[in-house]
Amino acid sequence: MNQDCLFCKIIAGEIPSAKVYEDDFVYAFKDIEPIAPVHYLFVPKTHICCAKKINAENSSYIAKIFEAIAKVSESENLESYRVINNCGEDAGQSVMHLHFHVVAGKKMGWGKQSLG
Ligand code: 5GP
Ligand code: ZN
């Protein structure tokens, strides 16, 4: 656990969150400022700052996260959804604990405009 990390504190239960899924490797909770009717954050239960730091030692967490996303999408009947990872400041990463946004429940645009 990183003492200065918001998502580490959420995983530890020190900061409350609306949990949607948990196993030994993954924690998922509702985003506090949703951008779609469904907006969840899936995080590894180990502190990895960002996608740049995924390596052979920790990449099994990524597989577990995508397994968890598939389980939640099945149990919540999410027909379509988008998985987003922002890595770095220009990409919009504001919390430096690796996380995957899962957004659903609306028709989503794609293309140049969707990158803002
Ligand atoms: P990023 O911008 O780093 O890709 O995504 C961080 C996300 O974390 C944002 O969508 C933001 O709304 C969400 N967030 C920030 N602080 C909190 C919090 O305290 N609780 C929850 N549930 N979400 C948060
Ligand atoms: Zn952390």
Side-chain angles (χ1 to χ4, degrees):
M1 169 163 177
N2 180 329
Q3 299 294 338
D4 301 322
C5 172
L6 174 67
F7 288 175
C8 280
K9 288 180 184 163
I10 284 178
I11 293 162
E14 291 174 14
I15 292 175
S17 65
K19 179 168 91 171
V20 296
Y21 179 86
E22 182 172 19
D23 64 29
D24 289 346
F25 306 94
V26 181
Y27 189 74
F29 53 104
K30 292 184 181 176
D31 195 293
I32 206 164
E33 279 187 65
I35 61 167
V38 173
H39 187 172
Y40 301 151
L41 299 170
F42 285 72
V43 303
K45 280 187 170 176
T46 189
H47 184 81
I48 303 169
C49 76
C50 55
K52 283 180 198 165
K53 297 294 182 189
I54 297 168
N55 57 36
E57 265 89 66
N58 63 26
S59 61
S60 57
Y61 280 92
I62 311 308
K64 294 290 185 188
I65 284 171
F66 276 80
E67 286 177 39
I69 291 171
K71 278 183 202 163
V72 171
S73 71
E74 173 99 13
S75 65
E76 300 205 6
N77 285 312
L78 302 180
E79 182 69 25
S80 292
Y81 57 91
R82 186 170 290 171
V83 183
I84 301 163
N85 169 252
N86 298 322
C87 179
E89 199 178 329
D90 279 0
Q93 185 174 8
S94 60
V95 179
M96 295 308 288
H97 180 125
L98 180 66
H99 52 281
F100 293 86
H101 300 255
V102 170
V103 292
K106 61 174 283 192
K107 182 93 178 158
M108 290 174 258
W110 183 246
K112 276 187 186 169
Q113 291 86 348
S114 66
L115 291 182

PDB file of all heavy atoms in Angstrom, residues 52 86-94 96:
ATOM      1  N   LYS A  52       2.461   2.399 -17.788  1.00  0.00           N
ATOM      2  CA  LYS A  52       3.896   2.330 -18.131  1.00  0.00           C
ATOM      3  C   LYS A  52       4.651   1.367 -17.230  1.00  0.00           C
ATOM      4  O   LYS A  52       5.734   0.906 -17.574  1.00  0.00           O
ATOM      5  CB  LYS A  52       4.544   3.709 -17.943  1.00  0.00           C
ATOM      6  CG  LYS A  52       4.272   4.695 -19.021  1.00  0.00           C
ATOM      7  CD  LYS A  52       4.997   5.987 -18.661  1.00  0.00           C
ATOM      8  CE  LYS A  52       4.422   7.133 -19.460  1.00  0.00           C
ATOM      9  NZ  LYS A  52       4.834   8.421 -18.907  1.00  0.00           N
ATOM     10  N   ASN A  86      -6.365   5.860 -18.893  1.00  0.00           N
ATOM     11  CA  ASN A  86      -5.629   7.090 -19.149  1.00  0.00           C
ATOM     12  C   ASN A  86      -4.248   6.936 -18.528  1.00  0.00           C
ATOM     13  O   ASN A  86      -4.139   6.628 -17.337  1.00  0.00           O
ATOM     14  CB  ASN A  86      -6.354   8.294 -18.535  1.00  0.00           C
ATOM     15  CG  ASN A  86      -7.735   8.502 -19.140  1.00  0.00           C
ATOM     16  OD1 ASN A  86      -7.926   8.306 -20.343  1.00  0.00           O
ATOM     17  ND2 ASN A  86      -8.701   8.887 -18.328  1.00  0.00           N
ATOM     18  N   CYS A  87      -3.217   7.126 -19.329  1.00  0.00           N
ATOM     19  CA  CYS A  87      -1.842   6.985 -18.823  1.00  0.00           C
ATOM     20  C   CYS A  87      -1.091   8.282 -19.067  1.00  0.00           C
ATOM     21  O   CYS A  87      -0.831   8.640 -20.211  1.00  0.00           O
ATOM     22  CB  CYS A  87      -1.146   5.808 -19.495  1.00  0.00           C
ATOM     23  SG  CYS A  87       0.552   5.599 -18.920  1.00  0.00           S
ATOM     24  N   GLY A  88      -0.796   8.981 -17.972  1.00  0.00           N
ATOM     25  CA  GLY A  88      -0.052  10.232 -18.089  1.00  0.00           C
ATOM     26  C   GLY A  88      -0.966  11.440 -18.147  1.00  0.00           C
ATOM     27  O   GLY A  88      -2.172  11.331 -18.379  1.00  0.00           O
ATOM     28  N   GLU A  89      -0.364  12.591 -17.910  1.00  0.00           N
ATOM     29  CA  GLU A  89      -1.116  13.833 -17.732  1.00  0.00           C
ATOM     30  C   GLU A  89      -1.911  14.239 -18.973  1.00  0.00           C
ATOM     31  O   GLU A  89      -3.105  14.544 -18.887  1.00  0.00           O
ATOM     32  CB  GLU A  89      -0.133  14.944 -17.347  1.00  0.00           C
ATOM     33  CG  GLU A  89      -0.789  16.139 -16.702  1.00  0.00           C
ATOM     34  CD  GLU A  89       0.242  17.197 -16.304  1.00  0.00           C
ATOM     35  OE1 GLU A  89       1.382  16.828 -15.976  1.00  0.00           O
ATOM     36  OE2 GLU A  89      -0.136  18.380 -16.353  1.00  0.00           O
ATOM     37  N   ASP A  90      -1.280  14.239 -20.134  1.00  0.00           N
ATOM     38  CA  ASP A  90      -1.987  14.662 -21.351  1.00  0.00           C
ATOM     39  C   ASP A  90      -3.135  13.722 -21.697  1.00  0.00           C
ATOM     40  O   ASP A  90      -4.113  14.124 -22.327  1.00  0.00           O
ATOM     41  CB  ASP A  90      -1.020  14.756 -22.539  1.00  0.00           C
ATOM     42  CG  ASP A  90      -0.230  16.056 -22.533  1.00  0.00           C
ATOM     43  OD1 ASP A  90      -0.435  16.874 -21.611  1.00  0.00           O
ATOM     44  OD2 ASP A  90       0.602  16.246 -23.443  1.00  0.00           O
ATOM     45  N   ALA A  91      -3.020  12.472 -21.293  1.00  0.00           N
ATOM     46  CA  ALA A  91      -4.101  11.513 -21.550  1.00  0.00           C
ATOM     47  C   ALA A  91      -5.224  11.647 -20.531  1.00  0.00           C
ATOM     48  O   ALA A  91      -6.266  11.013 -20.664  1.00  0.00           O
ATOM     49  CB  ALA A  91      -3.553  10.095 -21.541  1.00  0.00           C
ATOM     50  N   GLY A  92      -5.005  12.457 -19.479  1.00  0.00           N
ATOM     51  CA  GLY A  92      -6.065  12.710 -18.509  1.00  0.00           C
ATOM     52  C   GLY A  92      -5.963  11.915 -17.228  1.00  0.00           C
ATOM     53  O   GLY A  92      -6.909  11.887 -16.438  1.00  0.00           O
ATOM     54  N   GLN A  93      -4.822  11.265 -16.980  1.00  0.00           N
ATOM     55  CA  GLN A  93      -4.699  10.512 -15.719  1.00  0.00           C
ATOM     56  C   GLN A  93      -4.560  11.479 -14.551  1.00  0.00           C
ATOM     57  O   GLN A  93      -3.636  12.307 -14.526  1.00  0.00           O
ATOM     58  CB  GLN A  93      -3.486   9.560 -15.751  1.00  0.00           C
ATOM     59  CG  GLN A  93      -3.419   8.686 -14.496  1.00  0.00           C
ATOM     60  CD  GLN A  93      -2.328   7.621 -14.546  1.00  0.00           C
ATOM     61  OE1 GLN A  93      -1.492   7.609 -15.459  1.00  0.00           O
ATOM     62  NE2 GLN A  93      -2.337   6.739 -13.560  1.00  0.00           N
ATOM     63  N   SER A  94      -5.479  11.381 -13.590  1.00  0.00           N
ATOM     64  CA  SER A  94      -5.448  12.282 -12.437  1.00  0.00           C
ATOM     65  C   SER A  94      -5.144  11.539 -11.142  1.00  0.00           C
ATOM     66  O   SER A  94      -4.744  12.158 -10.153  1.00  0.00           O
ATOM     67  CB  SER A  94      -6.779  13.033 -12.300  1.00  0.00           C
ATOM     68  OG  SER A  94      -7.838  12.132 -12.121  1.00  0.00           O
ATOM     69  N   MET A  96      -2.792   8.514  -9.627  1.00  0.00           N
ATOM     70  CA  MET A  96      -1.632   7.713 -10.035  1.00  0.00           C
ATOM     71  C   MET A  96      -1.645   6.332  -9.388  1.00  0.00           C
ATOM     72  O   MET A  96      -0.692   5.922  -8.702  1.00  0.00           O
ATOM     73  CB  MET A  96      -0.339   8.480  -9.716  1.00  0.00           C
ATOM     74  CG  MET A  96      -0.194   9.766 -10.518  1.00  0.00           C
ATOM     75  SD  MET A  96      -0.384   9.547 -12.307  1.00  0.00           S
ATOM     76  CE  MET A  96       1.151   8.712 -12.674  1.00  0.00           C
TER      77      MET A  96
END
